[in-house]
Amino acid sequence: MAGPGDPPEGTPEGVPGGGDDELRSVVFDESFVRAARLQEFSAQERMGDHAPAVRSRHAWSRSSPSRQAVVLVALIAFAFAAAVYMGIQHPYQQPPQPVAEPLRSTVVPLAPTGPVPGGQAADLLRHSPAAEYGVGADGVTLPGAGRTENFSESQVMSALTTAKDYLVASGMDRAVLSGDDTKRVRLLLDPGQFDQYDRSLSRPASDGRHLATGWLIRFDPARVALADEPVRVRGTLDVVERTSGTLEVTADHTYVYAVRAAGEKGADDASLFTVRREVRFHLDREDLRDHRVALVHSAVRAGPQACAADTSGYLRPLLAGQSAKGDGPAATDPYASGPADAAVCGVLAPDAQPSPPE
């Protein structure tokens, strides 16, 4: 007699004895069915023409929606963390650019002891100490350049040439001298000094940091015009290695200008105006590459000017026939509190003025 789990006709022939079915131990529960790679179409789906009996089930579709969501969130979090890490630790991230040292400058008026001599510009120059000075840019001569410990000879020469270009642009270019152009000088500056330079030109102040006349030489076009004679110049340039990455160029020059009152066209109304200018530049390797300088110190002594003249924005020459008689620096109270802003003034030596022509 057949057992309760056997077929009514008994165990078929060819099946191992005892009715031990090899699939009897497999449990076809819901998880087993879900895990199957093939899934049988329903009867309704199999009614279509040429419909296959089964379809493949991808591993992703067999996983639960909650598991998919967890994996997706984990991937997004990993990508975000990787992006943040690479942004902070990127091996090719540009290093911060060094900040250029700010300019410190002084401008000292030199007051004449008598009336300012006047006459034709060429005669005044011929009878002055500037008679033997160089004319224009030719008056700024370059010394011989040798290599330093960390800079080649060509780099040292590049530093001297760039400093000369700045001196010519800021002290001899007629558009700059007349106050019409300030961009030519700005283009030769380290970008780290742009803000200080722009502030000095737009809102000059006698605070040692924002003197427009510390950066360049210029005259108020409403009062002063340049005569036809070119600028006379004489001075020296020197270069040393300041650090392993910086060259320092020191310039010490005297400039002589023939000026007259704005609007005057007479031949005998010119006078001479003299500027002693000491400037110190720093140039790092990027400055050498880009043909620019960082101007770190400027000391200007200029006359004839009145001691009380405001020279923060323009130099203000006393013109032919004018004098500074009775003029002097403002009184200073050493007991008063507050910033020391008293004007500094000097006396222009009589020998610095042109002698009367014979």
Side-chain angles (χ1 to χ4, degrees), residues 246-317:
T246 306
L247 289 172
E248 181 175 274
V249 178
T250 303
D252 184 357
H253 289 81
T254 299
Y255 305 74
V256 181
Y257 304 89
V259 296
R260 56 165 53 96
E264 295 289 338
K265 299 297 183 181
D268 299 326
D269 59 359
S271 61
L272 299 187
F273 186 75
T274 305
V275 177
R276 173 76 177 274
R277 191 184 188 200
E278 299 170 71
V279 183
R280 191 166 69 248
F281 306 96
H282 287 171
L283 299 92
D284 59 25
R285 297 184 188 278
E286 289 190 3
D287 293 329
L288 292 173
R289 181 195 66 199
D290 297 335
H291 195 72
R292 66 195 189 193
V293 298
L295 186 62
V296 297
H297 177 74
S298 173
V300 175
R301 286 165 285 173
Q305 291 186 104
C307 287
D310 178 9
T311 57
S312 60
Y314 296 97
L315 297 178
R316 303 182 183 278

Side-chain angles (χ1 to χ4, degrees), residues 53-319:
V54 295
R55 61 186 168 197
S56 296
R57 300 185 64 191
H58 300 288
W60 183 260
S61 65
R62 296 196 302 271
S63 61
S64 63
S66 60
R67 185 178 301 173
Q68 297 177 21
V70 171
V71 173
L72 183 60
V73 170
L75 288 174
I76 294 174
F78 176 81
F80 180 79
V84 172
Y85 177 82
M86 293 300 290
I88 297 174
Q89 302 293 335
H90 198 290
Y92 302 106
Q93 188 175 11
Q94 291 293 332
Q97 295 296 325
V99 178
E101 184 178 345
L103 168 66
R104 297 179 181 275
S105 56
T106 58
V107 178
V108 178
L110 300 178
T113 56
V116 176
Q120 295 186 4
D123 287 340
L124 293 172
L125 289 167
R126 191 162 45 248
H127 293 88
S128 75
E132 304 300 324
Y133 280 20
V135 177
D138 293 338
V140 182
T141 57
L142 301 179
R147 64 169 292 110
T148 66
E149 182 177 355
N150 294 287
F151 291 89
S152 66
E153 181 177 334
S154 63
Q155 288 175 316
V156 173
M157 181 56 67
S158 176
L160 290 167
T161 302
T162 305
K164 174 179 178 176
D165 290 344
Y166 185 92
L167 295 173
V168 172
S170 63
M172 302 180 214
D173 190 298
R174 295 181 75 89
V176 174
L177 295 174
S178 61
D180 294 333
D181 191 348
T182 61
K183 292 181 180 179
R184 300 187 189 188
V185 175
R186 191 180 192 269
L187 290 174
L188 291 169
L189 286 173
D190 186 294
Q193 293 189 314
F194 283 172
D195 289 344
Q196 186 185 10
Y197 177 81
D198 294 341
R199 163 70 170 79
S200 300
L201 272 293
S202 61
R203 299 188 304 280
S206 300
D207 57 3
R209 288 178 176 265
H210 299 100
L211 286 162
T213 45
W215 299 95
L216 47 80
I217 296 172
R218 66 174 185 173
F219 305 107
D220 184 355
R223 295 185 59 253
V224 178
L226 294 169
D228 293 335
E229 289 294 321
V231 182
R232 301 298 199 273
V233 186
R234 174 180 286 180
T236 60
L237 278 169
D238 187 35
V239 60
V240 296
E241 182 176 311
R242 182 172 178 266
T243 68
S244 60
T246 306
L247 289 172
E248 181 175 274
V249 178
T250 303
D252 184 357
H253 289 81
T254 299
Y255 305 74
V256 181
Y257 304 89
V259 296
R260 56 165 53 96
E264 295 289 338
K265 299 297 183 181
D268 299 326
D269 59 359
S271 61
L272 299 187
F273 186 75
T274 305
V275 177
R276 173 76 177 274
R277 191 184 188 200
E278 299 170 71
V279 183
R280 191 166 69 248
F281 306 96
H282 287 171
L283 299 92
D284 59 25
R285 297 184 188 278
E286 289 190 3
D287 293 329
L288 292 173
R289 181 195 66 199
D290 297 335
H291 195 72
R292 66 195 189 193
V293 298
L295 186 62
V296 297
H297 177 74
S298 173
V300 175
R301 286 165 285 173
Q305 291 186 104
C307 287
D310 178 9
T311 57
S312 60
Y314 296 97
L315 297 178
R316 303 182 183 278
L318 291 171
L319 301 174

